[in-house]
Amino acid sequence: MLYADFPVLSALIFFPLVAAIALVFLRKDETIRYVTLAVGILECLLLLPLLAFDLSTAEFQFVERLTWIEAWNIQYYLGIDGISILMIVLTVLLLPLCVLCSWRYIGQRVKEFHICLLLMTTACIGVFCALDFVLFYIFWEAMLVPMFLLIAVWGGARRRYASIKFFLYTLAGSTLLLVAIVAFFIAAGTFSIPDLMDQRFGLRFQQLTFLAMALAFAIKVPMFPFHTWLPAAHVEAPTAGSVLLASILLKMGTYGFLRFCLPITPAASEFFAPLMIVLAVISIIYGSFVAIGQQDMKKLIAYSSVAHMGFVTLGIFVFAFQGVEGAIMHMVNHGIITGAMFMLVGLLYERSHSREIDDNLGLSSHLPIYTGFLLLFSLAAFGFPGTNGFFSKLLVLIGVFEASYLLGVLFIIGLLLGLAYLMRLLLAVGWGTPAKGAGWKDVNSREWAYLLPLLVLVFYLGLAPGRALNIMGPSIENLLINFDDHRFVSEEYQDTRQRPRQIMIQPDMIPENNVAPQQRSKAMDSVHLTAQRTN
């Protein structure tokens, strides 16, 4: 491998952290903005070694493994596969875009704001790279502090309520996740995630650990009925905070299902799949209906995220290749589309100082370029052919129909409801009776700079998704093969975890062919010794 000796994952994780420390010594706000933007661009350049990613294997690549705390078998263990690499790329690409969309929006505590952005980037990349459960948990918890500060310090009028609710919900889920991690260590003696994937735990143990992990991930997604923290957090967060929240943080919940629940607790995943499917369908229908009635554009997009992440969860728990493939694609696509939608709302807020639909009617005559962007991203959010949203939803729909025609019908109803709230937003803001906007300026060069890359990704992944599918294909296939192999837990295996195993071996059970005399003699001695102990 060309970059075998370069610790690319550590560089991606810790370069923003080092930059955040460097920002402490800078004084001028404009300098801080330019330095953070430069850091974001350099961070994107650090993605170049990932071009050497091997598309033919499901093994973890770019692995970095060092002993950290030897007494507890805790390691600094990093690696990526086809499931995680796309989310890492999206996280890195969003950093400079978040800096640009906050250039004029953030006018106070500029240094602290950009430090929080950089710390968020470090924590998010760390979550997707970590292959040690303790390391993963450290990065998982590290996300809470900068996101809490982004909402609490630079948020809206109800920022204190929103930030505390966000913190308490996610902290409660994290506590349950920690319980599951400790349980895995007690049972298997390791925190290594790949090693835990090779273990076969008893059904009862799997059920308990699955519930602990699934609740933590369901809160992060969020799924109904654990979604109530999300609208408040989105509405009160600054634009960049909403972008990171929708594009990256929500995806960590569904990433947790794929990385931990399915491979480590496959029997429990199958056992609780009907419950997860029901909650996913409720999230789709409920989130869509509530989004239809919203006047606040941010709140509308927030509830639409509940519905879209329901599509992702549904695709995962039908356990079909196309369903999982579409779910991962939609994690990426939703991050691109929803991030852009929040940027468009922030752009408009800088002009109208209102997020209410009624205060931003009929902008097509005054802001035609803005309306064009809103039209294209809205069509992508619905899943219009040629956009990235179409292909990912199509794959999920195929997987869902393979599982159940009823689920397929409910999926289509969710799509139609999505069309309803998106068309309501688009028609009112674009072509409603004009209320304001006569003196507003259309999209400027800085706004073009952060909207255009996302629009390019919308059409690239919509018209040529083959590269992304090739990246994730082997990992998905390996995930589902291992899931099928390990989801059946025999009663004998469950009993053996509770008492020492006693195996009676008869002499004729030891094959004579291809066994050296000395080896056969040692084997027979072992058989006689076992027989004496059991007698």
Side-chain angles (χ1 to χ4, degrees):
M1 187 178 290
L2 182 62
Y3 301 97
D5 297 330
F6 178 64
V8 56
L9 301 184
S10 291
L12 286 169
I13 292 170
F14 293 109
F15 179 59
L17 177 61
V18 173
I21 296 172
L23 287 188
V24 174
F25 303 99
L26 300 180
R27 292 182 178 275
K28 294 183 178 180
D29 291 346
E30 203 70 8
T31 302
I32 290 169
R33 292 188 178 100
Y34 278 111
V35 168
T36 310
L37 179 61
V39 169
I41 295 171
L42 290 174
E43 182 81 348
C44 292
L45 294 178
L46 287 175
L47 289 173
L48 291 177
L50 298 186
L51 293 174
F53 187 85
D54 188 353
L55 304 181
S56 64
T57 179
E59 299 294 325
F60 288 104
Q61 302 180 44
F62 302 96
V63 173
E64 302 173 34
R65 191 169 190 175
L66 299 170
T67 300
W68 184 11
I69 305 175
E70 187 173 0
W72 289 93
N73 198 20
I74 299 174
Q75 299 175 317
Y76 177 77
Y77 191 6
L78 304 175
I80 57 173
D81 64 355
I83 295 174
S84 57
I85 184 173
L86 294 178
M87 290 307 304
I88 293 170
V89 172
L90 179 60
T91 303
V92 173
L93 292 178
L94 284 176
L95 175 58
L97 305 186
C98 286
V99 175
L100 287 172
C101 75
S102 305
W103 203 274
R104 292 289 174 256
Y105 191 93
I106 301 299
Q108 297 180 342
R109 298 180 179 270
V110 174
K111 178 192 297 186
E112 292 84 351
F113 175 83
H114 288 86
I115 288 174
C116 284
L117 283 184
L118 293 170
L119 293 179
M120 275 293 301
T121 303
T122 287
C124 292
I125 298 174
V127 165
F128 294 122
C129 292
L131 294 181
D132 182 277
F133 238 140
V134 173
L135 186 63
F136 170 86
Y137 188 76
I138 290 172
F139 286 125
W140 179 273
E141 288 293 271
M143 293 183 301
L144 296 184
V145 177
M147 180 52 70
F148 171 81
L149 293 175
L150 285 174
I151 300 171
V153 178
W154 295 276
R158 302 182 69 216
R159 58 185 180 271
R160 181 172 299 180
Y161 163 79
S163 60
I164 292 175
K165 192 171 185 178
F166 161 77
F167 191 85
L168 291 178
Y169 262 79
T170 51
L171 185 63
S174 299
T175 303
L176 291 172
L177 179 60
L178 180 60
V179 172
I181 293 172
V182 172
F184 284 128
F185 179 74
I186 293 173
T190 182
F191 290 110
S192 169
I193 294 169
D195 291 347
L196 289 172
M197 291 177 181
D198 293 332
Q199 299 288 327
R200 300 192 66 177
F201 300 105
L203 179 59
R204 183 65 173 171
F205 179 83
Q206 287 194 37
Q207 289 173 337
L208 294 174
T209 50
F210 175 90
L211 287 174
M213 292 190 297
L215 185 55
F217 300 144
I219 292 172
K220 188 73 76 175
V221 170
M223 296 176 64
F224 178 91
F226 310 108
H227 66 285
T228 58
W229 64 268
L230 181 65
H234 268 315
V235 169
E236 302 305 326
T239 299
S242 294
V243 171
L244 291 175
L245 191 60
S247 300
I248 307 301
L249 263 70
L250 305 190
K251 311 307 179 293
M252 292 178 180
T254 47
Y255 174 79
F257 290 138
L258 291 165
R259 178 63 75 221
F260 305 114
C261 291
L262 266 64
I264 300 178
T265 58
S269 297
E270 186 177 47
F271 181 84
F272 288 109
L275 173 63
M276 303 301 294
I277 289 172
V278 168
L279 293 178
V281 171
I282 293 174
S283 297
I284 293 170
I285 304 300
Y286 169 82
S288 299
F289 266 119
V290 177
I292 291 173
Q294 299 303 315
Q295 280 295 321
D296 187 305
M297 289 184 284
K298 261 196 169 185
K299 192 172 286 188
L300 185 152
I301 300 170
Y303 278 108
S304 76
S305 294
V306 175
H308 279 274
M309 295 309 293
F311 290 133
V312 175
T313 307
L314 184 60
I316 292 172
F317 281 95
V318 296
F319 306 128
F321 183 87
Q322 289 86 355
V324 176
E325 190 176 43
I328 298 174
M329 277 291 291
H330 202 58
M331 287 166 60
V332 177
N333 292 338
H334 177 261
I336 295 169
I337 297 166
T338 307
M341 293 294 283
F342 278 117
M343 289 178 181
L344 286 171
V345 174
L347 184 158
L348 195 56
Y349 183 81
E350 292 180 11
R351 291 157 171 79
S352 69
H353 304 291
S354 173
R355 293 186 297 266
E356 297 293 316
I357 294 176
D358 291 342
D359 293 332
N360 297 280
L361 297 175
L363 300 181
S364 60
S365 57
H366 305 296
L367 307 176
I369 297 175
Y370 175 88
T371 307
F373 275 116
L374 182 63
L375 171 64
L376 293 173
F377 285 119
S378 296
L379 291 176
F382 166 65
F384 194 80
T387 65
N388 58 348
F390 169 76
F391 202 81
S392 56
K393 287 183 177 178
L394 177 63
L395 289 172
V396 175
L397 181 61
I398 293 172
V400 168
F401 261 114
E402 286 182 358
S404 168
Y405 288 125
L406 176 60
L407 289 178
V409 170
L410 293 173
F411 186 98
I412 292 174
I413 292 174
L415 289 179
L416 295 177
L417 291 173
L419 177 63
Y421 62 71
L422 287 168
M423 288 300 102
R424 172 176 171 267
L425 171 67
L426 179 62
L427 292 176
V429 173
W431 292 275
T433 302
K436 300 179 182 179
W440 298 347
K441 294 183 179 179
D442 208 346
V443 178
N444 60 37
S445 57
R446 174 179 58 85
E447 292 159 346
W448 269 98
Y450 64 75
L451 289 173
L452 189 58
L454 296 177
L455 189 62
V456 170
L457 288 176
V458 162
F459 287 106
Y460 174 73
L461 293 176
L463 298 173
R467 175 72 176 180
L469 297 178
N470 290 337
I471 289 173
M472 67 179 71
S475 297
I476 297 173
E477 184 177 0
N478 182 66
L479 170 68
L480 294 178
I481 289 174
N482 289 337
F483 173 80
D484 286 333
D485 290 343
H486 294 169
R487 64 194 174 102
F488 299 108
V489 181
S490 67
E491 293 297 325
E492 178 187 0
Y493 180 76
Q494 293 178 62
D495 291 341
T496 59
R497 297 197 62 81
Q498 300 173 4
R499 61 176 181 269
R501 202 171 181 180
Q502 296 180 351
I503 303 176
M504 297 296 294
I505 304 178
Q506 301 298 328
D508 58 359
M509 292 175 64
I510 301 178
E512 296 187 13
N513 296 334
N514 300 324
V515 179
Q518 293 180 349
Q519 293 176 325
R520 178 170 174 78
S521 176
K522 292 180 180 179
M524 289 300 299
D525 291 341
S526 176
V527 168
H528 292 314
L529 181 60
T530 303
Q532 292 174 4
R533 288 178 176 175
T534 54
N535 292 332

